[in-house]
Amino acid sequence: MSGLVEINFDGIVGPSHNYAGLSLGNIASASHKGDPSYPRAAALQGIAKMRGNMERGLAQGYLLPLPRPNFSLLERLGIDEHTDRALLAAAWSASSMWTANAATVSPAPDTADGRCHLTPANLVTMLHRGQEWRDTKAQLKIAFGNQDHFAVHDAIPPSFGDEGAANHMRFCEGHGSRGVEVFVYGRPGGRFPARQHEQASRAVARLHGLDPDACVFIEQNPEAIEAGAFHNDVVAVANERVLFTHERAFADQQGAYDAIRAAFPALEVVEVPDSAVSLAEAIKTYLFNAQLLTLPSGEMALVVPSECQESAAVWSWCEHMLASNGPIRKVIPVDVRQSMANGGGPACLRLRVVADPATVDARFLLDEAKAERIEAVIADTWPEQIDPADIGNATLAKTVIEAREALLSVLSLGELA
Ligand code: SUG
């Protein structure tokens, strides 16, 4: 279909960004619990990443932070300043920044009705994330409100946990051609929660009107979940014909390749062996939580967290990969350390939507002038630092609310208030 390109919608980091250690099984979140956070720096790091991709000639969009603190959640759980700090912090979480968990997206060439389908992720496994989907849906309904081109669904009902695009990969010859969609789920029973339920993935595939012959369902390796891969995008990423994956990402690694190849024979696998980069090192550096992008030149680039450069094992593997003339031709480090400390790398921060930008509400698309306006609001209104003890504070609540409102106002998105 003509005009279709991949647009990355990054989550703008909200003004209440903090480290509360809310995500069991997410090692970075647990290990940074109680640290001071720097919301202004965090948001500016995110904008710099978006600018980088825009300067590379790629289409870039964004989604706005959700309203926090969530007073309705506090009220419905009977939470006040004397209650468990974790419950209080949940209502303040800026976790919607990780838009790879906002929704699962099936582009128009893959669906029965020829529209791009989006299902917001219910994120039911974690309280602080489970509060996101209704507000996320409201935003998607505006950004993708053109019903000739998009269908925005409700979230999958509980108890089937759905974490969205973080557990979904799409293989295709080019973004605008018909794709094969791969859904990766976890089997419960381990030390950490398996957040993506097989039945949620299957429901999304049905509701999006995907051809069953162009869908593949794969189980995540339970050992990867145990090692801290709470989403598949912590150990694998796909773009067009290429799957970039750790050797131990899937329960049956060879079976996974065979199943994808049966539906998509052109598959090219770039596999990182455990002997070169252990699962622990992959999860610490987030090598696979990278944006695998097709540049306008046709070359593929991997946008990795700068932590990768600091790991001798990971960086020497990247150099080896570049020297070996494979499909990935560039490795580009970016600084998203504030997000990384909560377990969110470059890939977590973006939702990929294949669409004609002319069919998307332009208020969600980035250009140079808007990037400057957004940066100015962040510099003026986002808190510089939040200490865990500040969560719940009425003055901070006012700052956070007003900062978000200032952003909505410069982007003419007051209807999200
Ligand atoms: O759901 N962290 C997020 C990170 C999400 C990363 N997304 C992808 N892999 N696509 C999560 O665990 C930390 C919250 C806290 O501890 O305050 C958090 O929610």
Side-chain angles (χ1 to χ4, degrees):
M1 287 185 204
S2 69
L4 298 186
V5 296
E6 178 178 281
I7 314 170
N8 282 275
F9 287 84
D10 282 37
I12 297 178
V13 178
S16 67
H17 160 62
N18 70 90
Y19 299 120
L22 299 178
S23 280
L24 177 67
N26 170 343
I27 290 164
S29 152
S31 63
H32 290 274
K33 176 178 180 174
D35 286 359
S37 64
Y38 298 92
R40 191 182 305 165
L44 292 174
Q45 286 169 0
I47 307 296
K49 173 170 97 70
M50 285 199 256
R51 269 182 184 275
N53 286 338
M54 199 168 66
E55 282 157 13
R56 284 174 203 112
L58 302 169
Q60 182 68 55
Y62 47 81
L63 295 176
L64 280 298
L66 303 184
R68 296 290 176 267
N70 182 346
F71 292 111
S72 133
L73 184 72
L74 294 172
E75 199 181 300
R76 287 167 68 206
L77 290 175
I79 298 168
D80 59 27
E81 62 275 21
H82 310 296
T83 322
D84 184 331
R85 300 289 299 170
L87 293 177
L88 180 65
W92 282 67
S93 179
S95 55
S96 66
M97 72 176 84
W98 300 296
T99 49
N101 309 115
T104 306
V105 184
S106 295
D110 303 356
T111 68
D113 67 3
R115 294 188 297 167
C116 174
H117 285 245
L118 301 98
T119 295
N122 63 28
L123 297 165
V124 288
T125 305
M126 307 274 166
L127 173 67
H128 69 288
R129 304 230 54 189
Q131 67 185 319
E132 291 175 31
W133 83 264
R134 285 179 202 281
D135 290 321
T136 299
K137 182 186 171 194
Q139 208 168 148
L140 298 176
K141 286 285 257 184
I142 300 173
F144 308 106
N146 183 333
Q147 291 181 27
D148 291 337
H149 296 280
F150 300 100
V152 178
H153 297 258
D154 274 338
I156 298 300
S159 60
F160 299 137
D162 179 20
E163 302 263 331
N167 298 308
H168 176 254
M169 303 187 285
R170 178 171 186 259
F171 295 93
C172 53
E173 290 295 342
H175 293 127
S177 45
R178 189 166 180 269
V180 165
E181 300 197 15
V182 175
F183 295 82
V184 185
Y185 60 88
R187 202 162 17 88
R191 184 161 65 110
F192 293 143
R195 299 206 213 170
Q196 183 72 37
H197 196 291
E198 179 182 356
Q199 291 306 331
S201 300
R202 289 189 182 275
V204 169
R206 284 192 295 272
L207 292 164
H208 287 192
L210 302 181
D211 174 355
D213 293 335
C215 291
V216 182
F217 298 88
I218 290 176
E219 189 192 329
Q220 215 188 337
N221 184 357
E223 290 168 9
I225 300 177
E226 294 268 311
F230 54 94
H231 291 136
N232 176 63
D233 69 0
V234 175
V235 283
V237 60
N239 180 52
E240 295 182 336
R241 282 169 289 105
V242 177
L243 169 62
F244 177 57
T245 179
H246 192 272
E247 181 187 13
R248 294 169 64 200
F250 308 115
D252 172 3
Q253 196 79 16
Q254 194 53 51
Y257 301 157
D258 292 345
I260 300 171
R261 209 163 260 132
F264 185 77
L267 176 70
E268 273 182 65
V269 178
V270 178
E271 183 187 85
V272 181
D274 203 50
S275 57
V277 177
S278 66
L279 260 184
E281 195 67 2
I283 287 160
K284 193 168 128 221
T285 59
Y286 264 36
L287 168 63
F288 299 94
N289 199 264
Q291 287 187 264
L292 186 54
L293 299 163
T294 304
L295 301 176
S297 63
E299 282 184 333
M300 269 192 213
L302 193 68
V303 175
V304 299
S306 42
E307 282 79 351
C308 290
Q309 243 173 333
E310 287 149 25
S311 157
V314 168
W315 202 244
S316 67
W317 196 87
C318 288
E319 285 173 339
H320 155 81
M321 174 181 79
L322 292 175
S324 69
N325 230 10
I328 302 172
R329 307 300 315 140
K330 282 190 175 138
V331 177
I332 303 169
V334 290
D335 178 1
V336 287
R337 285 178 198 276
Q338 281 291 307
S339 167
M340 282 285 285
N342 244 342
C348 298
L349 285 162
R350 61 91 177 96
L351 180 69
R352 292 182 282 191
V353 179
V354 171
D356 178 345
T359 62
V360 177
D361 186 316
R363 291 174 296 173
F364 293 87
L365 296 175
L366 194 66
D367 58 29
E368 180 57 37
K370 259 189 246 176
E372 272 171 31
R373 289 212 297 278
I374 297 171
E375 279 169 341
V377 172
I378 291 168
D380 278 356
T381 65
W382 257 232
E384 189 186 345
Q385 179 173 339
I386 296 184
D387 293 311
D390 302 336
I391 300 297
N393 175 298
T395 315
L396 181 62
K398 187 164 176 288
T399 305
V400 163
I401 292 166
E402 288 175 0
R404 177 174 175 273
E405 281 171 358
L407 183 64
L408 298 184
S409 156
V410 297
L411 296 173
S412 308
L413 278 164
E415 68 238 65
L416 290 173

